[in-house]
Amino acid sequence: MKIEQGVVVKKEGEFAYIVPSLEAGCEHCALKDLCIGNTSGKLRALDEVGAREGDLVEYTINLGRLNVNLMLLSGLGLILLLVGAIFGYYVNPFGIDPALSGGIFGIGLSALVFGLSKLKRFSSKELYPQIKRVIRRSA
Amino acid sequence: MELLVIFISALLINNFVLHYFLGICPFIGVSNRLDSAISMGLAVTFVMSIAASASWLIYYLLLVPYHLEFLEIVSFILVIASLVQVVEMFIKKTSPPLYQALGIYLPLITTNCAILGVALLMVLKKYNFIESLVFSVGAGLGFALAIVIMAGIREELEFADVPETLKGAGITLIVAGILALAFMGFSGLV
């Protein structure tokens, strides 16, 4: 569990958008603008304390669970890719170029993993950062 | 046996990070926590293997027959960037929290020169499709192994008494150098 601070910039129902306060180490990183939430430097977080725009808040990120989910998706994708490619190459059910068959089966089978990411496990609200405390209310 | 040799060679002897010095940016950037390092390692292995398969097919079924081999770098870059974009779009649609959490990973994967390195090396070494796949999985797991070892050491370093001037990037690069020396011990294994 990682604890961070940030400022709420927008509210949207039970979610709030936070601009995180960058740790000192981030200031020198060339990727600092890319690494925060991927878009516009804002994080979508579950607001459990009724924060308002402009509030400085403390939020937690369940890094462990996110990492396990990412490992599951990429690990499973890799296994499916290998199984599909070997099946397509050696069994070659359509009688086409074995490499092409291996590629189609491998990449096709590994694409199944994106169907799995629709499961509740991978899209549950608990995976979002959660605002736990308002440190300073906006004026 | 040949496939095993290719795998072990890519995994340990010609490790992409510690032998070729490719993919250093994510190696340094995401190696400060062990669980993040494992996720990053597996994600890179997955993208590397898919990218290598797709690149192999494009090179041998499209570029070679039409004598367009000179386009290999451009087409490989396009394949890798497109694949990561497709993965990104799917995850954004199906699992928004995971997409948000992936923030640091996706740009680091897209700009990871180790992935392009695998695609170029498999062509250079004239591997067939299955050999290329085994090579890319070995290279990806080698990357994962290096980043996980590094993360383990860096977590221990948090409690070490590192001189002030060496804290941060300094000690990380020294550790990476020692790790590369240690991996040289695998030379001659196969």
Side-chain angles (χ1 to χ4, degrees):
Chain A
M1 193 73 75
K2 193 168 185 180
I3 301 170
E4 297 276 357
Q5 290 182 5
V7 176
V8 176
V9 289
K10 190 181 157 193
K11 284 279 291 178
E12 196 180 84
E14 58 185 327
F15 288 99
Y17 287 88
I18 303 170
V19 172
S21 317
L22 295 178
E23 291 169 17
C26 296
E27 285 302 325
H28 305 288
C29 178
L31 285 168
K32 73 171 181 185
D33 293 328
L34 290 170
C35 83
I36 303 162
N38 230 357
T39 48
S40 64
K42 291 178 206 147
L43 278 179
R44 193 168 192 243
L46 199 59
D47 183 9
E48 293 182 338
V49 293
R52 295 191 302 248
E53 280 182 32
D55 286 355
L56 176 68
V57 294
E58 189 177 83
Y59 60 95
T60 59
I61 305 173
N62 194 343
L63 275 181
R65 200 166 156 197
L66 281 166
N67 279 322
V68 167
N69 282 349
L70 187 58
M71 278 180 232
L72 276 178
L73 279 183
S74 44
L76 204 60
L78 187 63
I79 292 168
L80 288 173
L81 173 72
L82 285 172
V83 170
I86 291 167
F87 173 81
Y89 190 84
Y90 290 109
V91 179
N92 194 3
F94 302 127
I96 51 175
D97 184 307
L100 184 61
S101 169
I104 291 170
F105 274 94
I107 295 172
L109 211 58
S110 65
L112 285 179
V113 88
F114 297 115
L116 286 180
S117 63
K118 272 192 169 174
L119 293 176
K120 194 167 180 275
R121 177 187 175 88
F122 300 107
S123 51
S124 138
K125 275 184 197 168
E126 291 164 27
L127 290 174
Y128 282 104
Q130 294 175 357
I131 299 175
K132 293 291 182 190
R133 187 165 73 93
V134 176
I135 298 171
R136 194 180 61 235
R137 286 276 179 199
S138 60
Chain B
M1 190 62 191
E2 184 68 24
L3 292 177
L4 186 67
V5 170
I6 291 172
F7 181 77
I8 298 288
S9 166
L11 179 75
L12 297 173
I13 303 159
N14 297 321
N15 187 288
F16 267 63
V17 179
L18 301 171
H19 180 86
Y20 290 120
F21 299 108
L22 293 171
I24 293 294
C25 184
F27 176 67
I28 302 289
V30 195
S31 60
N32 42 11
R33 279 177 55 97
L34 196 55
D35 49 359
S36 303
I38 297 171
S39 305
M40 179 67 180
L42 277 175
V44 167
T45 309
F46 177 50
V47 174
M48 203 177 250
S49 310
I50 285 202
S53 309
S55 302
W56 193 96
L57 293 174
I58 284 175
Y59 186 78
Y60 284 104
L61 301 180
L62 205 67
L63 299 187
V64 170
Y66 293 101
H67 307 292
L68 296 170
E69 292 92 335
F70 62 92
L71 287 176
E72 67 171 345
I73 293 179
V74 179
S75 55
F76 290 170
I77 289 173
L78 207 63
V79 166
I80 294 163
S82 312
L83 272 171
V84 177
Q85 283 301 311
V86 170
V87 171
E88 191 176 331
M89 281 192 301
F90 267 108
I91 294 177
K92 189 177 183 181
K93 190 83 180 160
T94 54
S95 175
L98 204 57
Y99 167 75
Q100 183 170 267
L102 274 171
I104 183 75
Y105 294 105
L106 289 169
L108 283 177
I109 292 171
T110 327
T111 54
N112 189 344
C113 54
I115 296 179
L116 180 63
V118 166
L120 292 174
L121 275 173
M122 76 185 183
V123 169
L124 199 70
K125 291 174 185 268
K126 295 185 171 55
Y127 285 149
N128 67 29
F129 180 73
I130 291 293
E131 286 171 344
S132 297
L133 190 62
V134 170
F135 176 64
S136 62
V137 173
L141 291 178
F143 176 87
L145 180 70
I147 199 171
V148 165
I149 293 173
M150 187 68 177
I153 295 174
R154 283 182 76 177
E155 279 192 357
E156 292 296 317
L157 273 177
E158 294 282 316
F159 305 104
D161 187 18
V162 179
E164 198 60 39
T165 46
L166 288 178
K167 278 185 179 161
I171 193 71
T172 307
L173 290 170
I174 291 172
V175 170
I178 296 169
L179 211 52
L181 284 173
F183 266 66
M184 278 177 72
F186 290 116
S187 303
L189 187 68
V190 286

